[in-house]
């Protein structure tokens, strides 16, 4: 009589349980018989790179960081556009020159607006 | 856990019966799977890397698994100059290693400060704060020297006793596994050495 086809699954589950649990049980028995546990403040410390941890990991970042990041990003992109503009400056037609000046003006206007709004003052 | 008679053992081995004791099995397993802490300080660390790489191949002795976490390491190879800024971190890392744990002091700097001994910022030997099992002289020691130290450590582990009055330190509940971390003082680390660990040789001058 052929065994139930699902019987092998049962064997697999049994092996999957015994394989990790047996070494753990042996280690537990070994500790009971021979090796006394030696816990300590530093051994049980959460951080493990040799440096003492300071403060709490659960901190919140201020939203002002994001404002600074966005302003930085805008002028970062501006610098990328300015380099090809400066390289091709002598060969540019008047229309392209005015276009890039408008682009610069928009960004400078944005900076003036952010400045006057007080975004660059680090509020405590 | 008495020792097995060597004659009886070889006689049985010839008959295809392999006899061992719990202690031998335990030490055999431990000595062939020493996991060092992945931790280098100066030029000795380059030699340590060479030892781990294929030409010298510390994997032949079961020590290739360099762990980046002290929780998983058995052996700390203090490879290089220990500055006074670094010493508390080393002691703390040693404290965070689980027992049994061993220390190899690699090179002149880790032993005594080496060529930088007179430096104001150099610790004059890591054995001032943590117990060292094997010292390797050299500046820096060649990879063969590190392998030799590794084999010496394996020999030491092989001879550790599981029971009795002279059993291994990590099995003795009286022996501490954490050592006090030195603090930064005004001019030096405080204390400058741990008297429980540091036993320098007394120099007696004769007339």
């Amino acid at each position: 009589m052929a065994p139930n086809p699902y019987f092998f699954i049962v064997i697999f589950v049994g092996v999957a349980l015994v394989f990790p649990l047996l070494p753990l049980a042996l280690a537990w028995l070994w500790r009971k018989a021979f090796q006394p546990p030696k816990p300590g403040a530093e051994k049980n410390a959460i951080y493990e790179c040799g440096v003492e941890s300071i403060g709490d990991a659960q901190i919140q970042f201020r939203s002002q960081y994001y404002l600074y990041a966005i302003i930085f990003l805008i002028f970062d992109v501006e610098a990328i556009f300015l380099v090809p503009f400066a390289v091709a400056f002598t060969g540019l037609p008047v229309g392209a020159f005015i276009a890039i000046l408008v682009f610069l003006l928009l960004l400078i206007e944005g900076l003036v607006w952010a400045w006057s709004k007080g975004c660059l003052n680090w509020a405590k | 856990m008495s020792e097995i008679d060597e004659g009886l053992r070889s006689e049985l081995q010839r008959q295809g019966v392999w006899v061992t004791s719990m202690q031998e099995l335990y030490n055999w397993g431990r000595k062939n799977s020493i996991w060092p802490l992945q931790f280098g300080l100066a030029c000795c660390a380059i030699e340590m890397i060479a030892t781990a790489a294929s030409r010298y191949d510390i994997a032949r002795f079961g020590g290739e698994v360099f762990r980046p976490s002290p929780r998983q390491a058995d052996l700390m190879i203090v490879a290089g100059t220990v500055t006074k800024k670094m010493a508390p971190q080393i002691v703390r890392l040693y404290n965070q290693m689980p027992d049994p744990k061993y220390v190899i002091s690699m090179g002149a700097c880790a032993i005594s400060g080496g060529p930088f001994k007179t430096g104001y910022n150099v610790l004059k030997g890591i054995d001032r704060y943590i117990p060292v099992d094997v010292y390797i002289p050299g500046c820096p020691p060649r990879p063969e020297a590190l392998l030799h130290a590794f084999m010496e450590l394996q020999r030491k582990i092989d001879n550790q006793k599981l029971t009795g009055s002279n059993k291994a330190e990590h099995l003795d509940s009286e022996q501490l596994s954490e050592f006090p971390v030195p603090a930064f003082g005004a001019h030096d680390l405080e204390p400058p050495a741990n008297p429980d660990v540091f036993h320098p040789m007394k120099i007696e001058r004769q007339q």
Side-chain angles (χ1 to χ4, degrees):
Chain A
M1 181 188 129
N4 190 314
Y6 288 106
F7 179 62
F8 297 103
I9 302 279
V10 176
I11 293 176
F12 276 139
V13 168
V15 171
L17 282 176
V18 168
F19 196 72
L21 289 181
L22 187 69
L24 285 175
L26 283 175
W28 184 80
L29 283 175
W30 184 268
R31 191 186 69 113
K32 284 277 165 200
F34 294 107
Q35 194 156 348
K38 294 179 181 179
E42 273 167 16
K43 209 182 238 183
N44 294 341
I46 295 164
Y47 204 48
E48 55 184 36
C49 83
V51 181
E52 276 182 320
S53 52
I54 300 166
D56 197 3
Q58 307 295 324
I59 58 164
Q60 289 178 329
F61 281 98
R62 300 167 62 89
S63 61
Q64 230 178 342
Y65 278 113
Y66 301 105
L67 212 56
Y68 262 105
I70 283 179
I71 294 172
F72 165 76
L73 191 74
I74 288 168
F75 287 95
D76 204 36
V77 173
E78 182 192 1
I80 293 171
F81 279 116
L82 273 179
V83 171
F85 167 67
V87 168
F89 184 70
T90 50
L92 281 183
V94 180
F97 181 70
I98 289 171
I100 200 83
L101 278 188
V102 169
F103 170 67
L104 283 179
L105 192 71
L106 281 173
L107 285 174
I108 291 166
E109 192 188 344
L111 177 66
V112 170
W113 178 79
W115 203 333
S116 62
K117 275 285 195 181
C119 293
L120 299 183
N121 295 328
W122 190 254
K124 296 288 179 200
Chain B
M1 208 124 342
S2 59
E3 298 293 317
I4 308 162
D5 181 50
E6 282 301 316
L8 178 66
R9 191 213 295 257
S10 66
E11 182 68 31
L12 281 168
Q13 225 159 34
R14 240 170 289 149
Q15 302 296 321
V17 181
W18 191 60
V19 186
T20 185
S21 65
M22 192 102 102
Q23 176 180 302
E24 278 178 24
L25 202 63
Y26 175 61
N27 286 341
W28 171 80
R30 284 193 315 133
K31 80 170 184 183
N32 289 310
S33 63
I34 301 174
W35 291 8
L37 187 62
Q38 191 173 28
F39 176 70
L41 289 172
C43 24
C44 283
I46 306 296
E47 301 294 314
M48 186 172 76
I49 293 162
T51 316
S54 54
R55 189 179 178 94
Y56 296 99
D57 199 12
I58 204 170
R60 292 176 294 161
F61 306 95
E64 80 279 17
V65 195
F66 279 81
R67 304 312 292 181
S69 163
R71 314 270 194 225
Q72 302 166 354
D74 306 309
L75 167 65
M76 175 186 253
I77 303 174
V78 183
T81 319
V82 184
T83 56
K84 284 176 183 169
K85 187 88 175 172
M86 195 66 194
Q89 271 74 263
I90 293 178
V91 178
R92 211 171 278 127
L93 280 175
Y94 179 76
N95 285 347
Q96 287 179 341
M97 283 163 64
D99 284 280
K101 51 190 171 184
Y102 304 92
V103 177
I104 290 179
S105 178
M106 183 180 182
C109 290
I111 294 173
S112 67
F116 312 112
K117 189 180 172 69
T118 48
Y120 69 96
N121 62 334
V122 175
L123 186 72
K124 279 84 184 158
I126 191 60
D127 55 358
R128 284 165 182 255
Y129 294 115
I130 54 177
V132 175
D133 294 285
V134 186
Y135 295 87
I136 325 172
C139 187
R142 284 189 57 84
E144 290 96 332
L146 181 56
L147 288 177
H148 181 231
F150 201 82
M151 288 158 75
E152 285 296 323
L153 183 67
Q154 286 184 324
R155 222 161 280 148
K156 173 173 181 167
I157 291 173
D158 209 19
N159 288 325
Q160 285 190 319
K161 297 278 179 287
L162 203 56
T163 51
S165 58
N166 57 346
K167 62 185 173 184
E169 293 100 345
H170 68 275
L171 304 174
D172 189 356
S173 56
E174 299 300 312
Q175 294 274 352
L176 292 174
S177 73
E178 283 201 20
F179 293 89
V181 178
F184 298 123
H187 302 291
D188 198 0
L189 289 171
E190 285 173 4
N194 183 0
D196 297 338
V197 176
F198 188 48
H199 306 293
M201 217 162 58
K202 288 275 187 299
I203 300 172
E204 290 180 10
R205 297 190 193 282
Q206 292 179 340
Q207 295 297 319

